[in-house]
Amino acid sequence: MEAIGHAGTCLGIIAEDGVLLAAERRNVHKLLDEGYFSDKIYKLHDNMACSVAGITSDANVLTNELRLIAQRYSLQYQEPIPCEQLVSWLCDIKQAYTQYGGLRPFGVSILYMGWDKHYGFQLYQSDPSGNYGGWKATCIGNNSSAAISMLKQEYKSEGVKLAEAMKLAVKVLSKSLDITKLTHEKVELATLTRDGNSCKITIMTATDVQKLIDEYEADEAKASAEKKEKEKASKS
Amino acid sequence: MSIMSYNGGDVIAMMGKNCVAIACDRRFGIQAQTVSTDFDKIFEMGPKLFVGLPGLATDTQTVAQRLKFRLNLYTLRENRAMKPKTFMSVVSNLLYEKRFGPYFIEPVVAGLDPKTNEPFICSLDLIGCPMVTDDFVVSGTASEQMYGMCESLWQPDLGPDDLFETISQALMNAVDRDAVSGWGAKGYVIEADKVTIKTLKARMD
């Protein structure tokens, strides 16, 4: 749990027409080779994706297992696995590591986003103990408590579209991250939407993320300028 | 009675100029009785990758599902589409695992390389022996007839429309000479930018 508290922040938000996951990329080092595409956000199945916070090697093992579980269900029942079942299956495995065998638990918290025909868009969070819960918006990792309190204030459960939710995610991330300025290299954003009869998981491109960040900063600048105007007006 | 001709069915694949075509008949029968006329034996494994599985119908369905399983995991882990040649190895591996109790199908793979769009066709026997050719591959209960038709009709470097004509004529005339095949045909022409699917009405018997 300690390791997770220091790991890169991940947050998830459910909107009316989709779910999104945003993650802070911690390893942005000049010498680090940019071999792979997505650092923190993993596609699990056509209808589910997840984001991890904690010990990366444990996370790799778990995401692999999640993918296998989803495929086996799909092979047996010829339909995509319902979200809660996938989460609950993995959490049973995680729990086993806390009770049997003398092994250490997996040091990862995972945020899952998905869609199924029973409950629509869903967001789940699981931790090393094997506990899991369904959320409308939540955050794990570094400064997660600050982010959660901000989400509590700002999140509206009715009538929020995905675009608004993305703006909210950028806002919360920028306020809760340690670094001074948010750039597209430090943030990974993925969304899950329904396109007719199938799910679409999109990992946003660097340019799109940068556009969102720029929009947010423009809004912020406008808001602080307006505040200054008000203060000046009230003083005089 | 042979297991491979219990349900009946055929698949042909042909190589064209920067395109491939794959076609199958649509009959599903139990020996002499026809049960269904919309049982396709070609499955899409990727945007430009198709596999045809003629033979015992239950194995057709099972192998298609198991192949999709392996292909999905590959795509998720490697974050890229599978090449047709690699897919051939996956099929071969899956079939050889059952060397002494095999799946009764003789698959045909057709597709374009996801990056270079190079066309690829191959066929395998029921225990996974792959055979890559650069003209055409046939498999099914009317294979002798199909070999004859393809040998006479096929020419190298056919365009997508000509290729479709050729493969359709080859398949339709071959299955007309086979009692357990036919009842319509479905042809896929796979090009770099699109896949055209056409259903043909042949001798419906």
Side-chain angles (χ1 to χ4, degrees):
Chain A
M1 302 292 283
E2 269 296 309
I4 298 167
H6 294 300
T9 321
C10 303
L11 70 90
I13 304 178
I14 297 189
E16 223 175 49
D17 52 346
V19 201
L20 71 87
L21 284 177
E24 173 207 356
R25 231 185 248 174
R26 267 295 178 79
N27 315 339
V28 187
H29 197 271
K30 252 200 237 175
L31 293 176
L32 199 65
D33 188 14
E34 282 197 13
Y36 41 105
F37 182 46
S38 179
D39 203 5
K40 301 255 289 177
I41 300 185
Y42 301 90
K43 183 174 163 189
L44 299 176
H45 196 51
D46 290 333
N47 64 328
M48 284 194 75
C50 76
S51 166
V52 296
I55 304 178
T56 317
S57 49
D58 288 358
N60 282 339
V61 169
L62 286 176
T63 46
N64 214 24
E65 195 55 42
L66 281 164
R67 286 171 174 165
L68 276 166
I69 297 169
Q71 284 299 128
R72 276 187 216 127
Y73 184 99
S74 185
L75 179 65
Q76 189 167 29
Y77 299 104
Q78 287 298 300
E79 59 168 46
I81 187 168
C83 302
E84 185 170 351
Q85 279 202 37
L86 180 60
V87 178
S88 129
W89 205 294
L90 187 80
C91 287
D92 288 343
I93 300 176
K94 281 209 226 182
Q95 190 277 340
Y97 277 74
T98 67
Q99 199 171 15
Y100 313 113
L103 305 158
R104 69 159 176 84
F106 291 100
V108 213
S109 266
I110 311 183
L111 277 182
Y112 311 80
M113 68 170 176
W115 183 94
D116 65 34
K117 64 183 184 196
H118 306 285
Y119 295 108
F121 293 108
Q122 295 154 69
L123 178 68
Y124 291 95
Q125 174 187 334
S126 73
D127 62 19
S129 66
N131 245 347
Y132 73 90
W135 294 78
K136 292 187 203 150
T138 185
C139 182
I140 52 177
N142 204 4
N143 289 334
S144 51
S145 35
I148 290 183
S149 49
M150 209 186 301
L151 281 171
K152 242 202 252 185
Q153 292 175 332
E154 312 252 351
Y155 180 72
K156 288 179 292 179
S157 49
E158 302 292 313
V160 181
K161 294 267 167 190
L162 201 56
E164 254 188 84
M166 286 203 267
K167 283 206 181 134
L168 178 59
V170 173
K171 183 171 177 185
V172 172
L173 262 184
S174 71
K175 293 240 164 97
S176 61
L177 289 188
D178 281 337
I179 46 157
T180 43
K181 200 163 146 61
L182 204 60
T183 61
H184 68 265
E185 299 156 339
K186 296 224 123 209
V187 176
E188 264 181 76
L189 199 62
T191 56
L192 189 148
T193 50
R194 283 286 286 177
D195 184 13
N197 239 353
S198 61
C199 289
K200 211 167 79 153
I201 299 180
T202 342
I203 301 190
M204 291 183 70
T205 57
T207 36
D208 284 341
V209 176
Q210 191 58 46
K211 230 182 352 173
L212 269 174
I213 298 175
D214 291 337
E215 268 178 34
Y216 162 69
E217 283 177 359
D219 286 341
E220 273 295 292
K222 213 170 51 165
S224 59
E226 282 173 4
K227 226 169 79 171
K228 277 203 191 126
E229 289 280 328
K230 266 202 210 150
E231 279 177 11
K232 255 200 240 169
S234 65
K235 266 197 203 151
S236 62
Chain B
M1 190 210 80
S2 156
I3 297 188
M4 298 297 285
S5 59
Y6 186 74
N7 294 126
D10 305 281
V11 175
I12 305 187
M14 281 190 181
M15 180 90 86
K17 193 167 175 70
N18 301 324
C19 61
V20 286
I22 185 167
C24 66
D25 72 327
R26 304 189 78 199
R27 181 182 177 275
F28 167 52
I30 300 182
Q31 293 189 293
Q33 182 187 46
T34 303
V35 176
S36 152
T37 57
D38 60 1
F39 187 70
D40 292 326
K41 296 142 190 106
I42 296 180
F43 300 89
E44 183 178 339
M45 291 285 145
K48 294 184 267 196
L49 180 60
F50 289 80
V51 67
L53 301 164
L56 195 63
T58 172
D59 288 343
T60 298
Q61 293 177 322
T62 305
V63 172
Q65 291 166 10
R66 287 187 188 270
L67 282 173
K68 201 70 175 105
F69 180 102
R70 294 193 187 194
L71 185 125
N72 281 347
L73 282 172
Y74 180 99
T75 316
L76 282 169
R77 283 199 194 122
E78 308 231 351
N79 227 345
R80 61 190 174 95
M82 197 187 265
K83 289 206 277 254
K85 195 144 167 278
T86 313
F87 186 68
M88 176 184 83
S89 303
V90 173
V91 182
S92 172
N93 178 261
L94 190 145
L95 295 172
Y96 196 84
E97 273 175 359
K98 303 275 186 214
R99 170 67 176 82
F100 299 108
Y103 289 116
F104 295 104
I105 50 167
E106 297 194 323
V108 166
V109 177
L112 301 176
D113 184 299
K115 286 232 172 80
T116 66
N117 286 321
E118 195 191 319
F120 178 88
I121 54 171
C122 81
S123 73
L124 304 99
D125 72 359
L126 79 172
I127 44 177
C129 176
M131 179 188 73
V132 184
T133 66
D134 55 5
D135 44 16
F136 52 83
V137 283
V138 304
S139 184
T141 47
S143 54
E144 321 261 289
Q145 293 92 322
M146 288 189 286
Y147 271 126
M149 288 305 305
C150 290
E151 201 62 57
S152 25
L153 293 181
W154 188 84
Q155 316 162 34
D157 290 331
L158 287 167
D161 299 321
D162 289 331
L163 188 67
F164 180 71
E165 259 312 298
T166 312
I167 199 174
S168 312
Q169 288 298 328
L171 181 67
M172 288 191 345
N173 290 297
V175 304
D176 283 348
R177 282 279 184 183
D178 180 28
V180 291
S181 310
W183 280 97
K186 204 162 196 178
Y188 298 70
V189 180
I190 306 150
E191 300 168 67
D193 54 347
K194 64 179 196 275
V195 174
T196 325
I197 309 173
K198 291 205 186 119
T199 313
L200 302 163
K201 189 163 176 234
R203 267 184 71 115
M204 302 303 260
D205 65 355

